[in-house]
Amino acid sequence: MEFGHLFEAMMLVCFGFSWPLNVIKAYKARSAKGTSLAFIILIIVGYVAGITAKFLNHQLNYVLAVYFLNLAIVLTNLAVYFRNVALDNKRESELKKVELVRTPLGA
């Protein structure tokens, strides 16, 4: 086993521990406010680039599994983001309906 692969896996595991916590927090928040779609996509592109590099360099080892696991979690984060955007839009729509009901005609 090469130490380079071990340290790469450690780096990915450290990054990977933060993603499930982020997904849980975003899911409970039920809002996309404060979440950056560009950041999530950038992370996804980074993991895809890392996976592609592993295949191009014929380094098909356990580190590749960690890349895929992290990518799956970040993709879950992306799904939660779109769910939260839909919830935000629904709340906003309902709020506008309530405002229309409260506002007298012609005002």
Side-chain angles (χ1 to χ4, degrees), residues 22 26 31-40 77 81 84:
N22 188 271
S31 176
K33 290 177 177 31
T35 303
S36 170
L37 177 60
F39 178 75
I40 294 171
N77 199 356
Y81 171 82
N84 286 350

Side-chain angles (χ1 to χ4, degrees), residues 58-89:
H58 305 288
Q59 294 179 340
L60 308 179
N61 54 32
Y62 63 94
V63 178
L64 187 60
V66 183
Y67 272 105
F68 276 113
L69 178 62
N70 284 359
L71 179 60
I73 295 168
V74 177
L75 288 171
T76 302
N77 199 356
L78 183 64
V80 170
Y81 171 82
F82 285 117
R83 167 214 177 235
N84 286 350
V85 166
L87 290 172
D88 286 342
N89 290 340

